[in-house]
Each structure stands twice: as structure tokens, then as C-alpha cells.
Amino acid sequence: MHMQATTGPTAFAIIVGSMKSGSSSLFDLLRLHPALCPCVEKEPQYFSGPYQWGRGWDWYRGLYEGFDPTVHRYGLEASTDYAKLPYMDHVFERMKRRPDVRFRFVYIMRHPIARIVSHHKHAALTGYELGHTRPDRTDFSFDAGGVSSVAIDLTRYARHLDAYVDAFGRDAILPVLFEDMLADPQTVLDTVCDFLEIARVSNSDLPKSNEASAKFSDPTWHKLSNVRMLRRIAHGVVPKSVRHRLYLSQSARSNALTQGRFEMVRNEEAFVLEELRDDLKRLHDTYGIDAATRWSITA
């Protein structure tokens, strides 16, 4: 339980998404920086979740335990629900209620097809696409219902960048690529540090290989780490009958990944890229990110 706080950060560096594009890995890299005070919950969802929002500003600031204004320049968090337009368009309005607070945003993107595939797998495992709102769809395999329209909307990268630029200005948001972080995490880290106007840090504390980066960015790795810990705790406090029901529910979701198709076929990829054509063009024209050279997308 976190105590209410009357002191805390007045500036925040927030990784806002996109979902399933390496926000956890980027958070893990940045949290090592001495000028950044990491949130005790990587993804607090304060500005997006109704329950979290209802807990108040002091509660949110209290999540940055150990914040020292003489040391830390920003509080750091990474909530991907902050970039889920058009479904969560209240986020900007809530942020702008704090005119005394300085926000800086990092928006990490991934190859659109890879992101959408990962999105479907995540939804099959968790049962959710948007926060904690239950979707109408229960089977997220591509054979069951094709490509999720939500997944496509969340991959309209330029649209999300435009929204942040409109709300906070072009200088307030930095686009980065998941693939760049895997290939050269130090360069991405330097770019983010320059954007935040904080000192660059050595790469000595970073993963030493692409394999390590891939491991830390793998959502299954994070999920299993949390599950192991929670299972040990739950075993001592949750009745056996309840544990059994939870196990069956978790097993059913995990089995969904083996019973359905979670790789796109060519016509599905073509459909997605056609849906994203105008957005990818704007991503190139406005933000200088060329899908052809960066992701080998020529559609």
C-alpha cells in the first residue's frame, strides 16, 4: 500500500507506447539513470484508468518512492494505455489539468505486422485489449475473427504522434523504434537522454547482447517472472478451491495460443498494410520514419 504524498515529481518522462513494442525494455534501460526516479509500478495507468484516476494526484506522485528534487529531474513511468486512440482520448485532457507539471513523452514503435501479431497473442493470454475493459471478442486467433480492428487502430503511429503534438507541442515527444533499441540500445538511450536534457550514461549497465535485450523485451518473460512470485504469495493466502479455478482459467488462455493461428497469412498482411497506408505515409512525411527502409514495407 502506497502512502499519500504531498511531495513528488513535478516533471514526468513517460513512455506512452505503443503497446507490445518494447516499452518495458526501454523503461528498464532508463530506470538506471540517476536523474530519473522510476515509478514503483512501471505501468500505473493513472491518466487512463478510472480507478487509478480516482485515487488522486497525491497517490500518483507517491508512487515515485525515493524521489529527491536535488537529484531527480523526472519521474519515469511507462503506461501504454496513454496511446490507445480513439478509445482512450481522455488522457490528454487529464494531463492538461496539471498546467504546473512538465511532461516529456517517448513513443516507441515496432514493425506494424509484428506489433499486431504480438497484440493478438497478448489479448489471447489476458483477455484484454484496452485497459481492463472486456472486449466483445473472446477468441483472438486470426482464424476466429481476422485481424482485430483495435489492433489496427493502435498501430496508427502517426495518428498518435499527431495527437501528442497537438496537445503538447512537437518538442514534447520523441519517436523511437523497437528495432533500433534491440540493435543498439546505447544509441537509443543516448537519444532519449539528449531529448530529456539529462546526462548520457555509460552502457556498462545495459544488456550486453541483442539476445539479452530480446529476453527483457519479451512480454512472456515479464509475465512468467510476475506469475512465479504471485503464485508463491497466493499459495499461502488464497483458498485451494479458488487457486484451482484461477489455474484452470489461466491454462485455458494459454492453451488458446496453441489451438488457434497467431501468424498472419499474406492476404491479412496486405489488408493491414493497406489500412495503414496513409498513416505510414504521414509517419514518413511528418516524422521522418520511412517504413520502406526501416521495416522493409513497400505497400
Side-chain angles (χ1 to χ4, degrees):
M1 180 177 179
H2 302 288
M3 300 297 293
Q4 292 279 311
T6 56
T7 61
T10 56
F12 295 88
I14 305 179
I15 303 165
V16 295
S18 61
M19 172 187 171
K20 313 313 297 176
S21 295
S23 61
S24 294
S25 291
L26 186 55
F27 180 84
D28 288 342
L29 296 184
L30 291 173
R31 69 181 300 158
L32 302 174
H33 197 291
L36 302 176
C37 180
C39 185
V40 297
E41 300 177 17
K42 170 254 177 183
E43 207 161 351
Q45 310 289 17
Y46 173 65
F47 296 101
S48 58
Y51 172 73
Q52 295 90 327
W53 177 253
R55 300 188 73 172
W57 180 243
D58 284 347
W59 170 81
Y60 176 63
R61 294 177 79 199
L63 296 177
Y64 297 86
E65 294 178 355
F67 177 80
D68 182 345
T70 67
V71 175
H72 299 121
R73 185 164 183 183
Y74 296 93
L76 173 71
E77 65 132 307
S79 294
T80 58
D81 276 0
Y82 297 166
K84 290 187 176 179
L85 294 172
Y87 309 97
M88 295 185 175
D89 56 358
H90 56 274
V91 169
F92 306 110
E93 185 272 331
R94 288 178 175 178
M95 288 178 173
K96 291 177 78 68
R97 289 189 189 183
R98 311 300 316 191
D100 54 327
V101 172
R102 182 172 185 253
F103 292 104
R104 287 295 178 267
F105 306 101
V106 179
Y107 185 63
I108 185 166
M109 297 163 283
R110 181 182 185 183
H111 190 296
I113 300 299
R115 198 216 71 80
I116 290 174
V117 168
S118 186
H119 175 113
H120 272 256
K121 291 178 179 179
H122 172 83
L125 285 168
T126 65
Y128 298 100
E129 290 185 279
L130 299 167
H132 290 86
T133 302
R134 281 287 183 186
D136 294 332
R137 182 171 177 171
T138 58
D139 186 342
F140 282 90
S141 66
F142 291 117
D143 284 330
V147 181
S148 162
S149 60
V150 173
I152 293 175
D153 283 337
L154 302 194
T155 318
R156 299 186 193 278
Y157 299 142
R159 177 184 188 179
H160 286 85
L161 287 167
D162 287 347
Y164 273 94
V165 170
D166 289 345
F168 297 97
R170 180 64 182 88
D171 293 340
I173 188 162
L174 174 71
V176 299
L177 299 186
F178 171 80
E179 292 80 7
D180 288 347
M181 184 175 62
L182 290 186
D184 188 356
Q186 180 65 66
T187 296
V188 170
L189 185 59
D190 289 346
T191 300
V192 175
C193 288
D194 293 347
F195 167 69
L196 297 176
E197 299 179 305
I198 56 179
R200 293 185 177 187
V201 293
S202 168
N203 64 0
S204 59
D205 292 327
L206 302 181
K208 297 301 187 294
S209 67
N210 290 350
E211 290 79 12
S213 296
K215 171 186 175 184
F216 293 134
S217 66
D218 183 354
T220 304
W221 187 87
H222 286 283
K223 186 181 297 294
L224 289 175
S225 298
N226 292 332
V227 166
R228 292 188 193 107
M229 181 180 296
L230 291 173
R231 185 178 292 144
R232 288 196 295 269
I233 296 171
H235 189 81
V237 299
V238 178
K240 183 176 180 180
S241 60
V242 176
R243 293 204 309 269
H244 181 65
R245 290 197 299 273
L246 291 172
Y247 172 77
L248 291 177
S249 176
Q250 181 185 21
S251 296
R253 290 195 298 270
S254 298
N255 288 339
L257 292 180
T258 62
Q259 295 173 354
R261 178 172 60 86
F262 287 89
E263 296 298 332
M264 287 192 206
V265 294
R266 184 171 298 179
N267 66 313
E268 289 168 336
E269 292 185 1
F271 167 74
V272 167
L273 294 179
E274 181 60 31
E275 286 288 305
L276 297 176
R277 179 190 294 273
D278 291 344
D279 190 86
L280 290 172
K281 183 178 186 303
R282 181 160 179 78
L283 192 65
H284 171 266
D285 293 346
T286 305
Y287 300 101
I289 298 171
D290 184 4
T293 58
R294 306 313 303 272
W295 292 318
S296 299
I297 293 174
T298 57

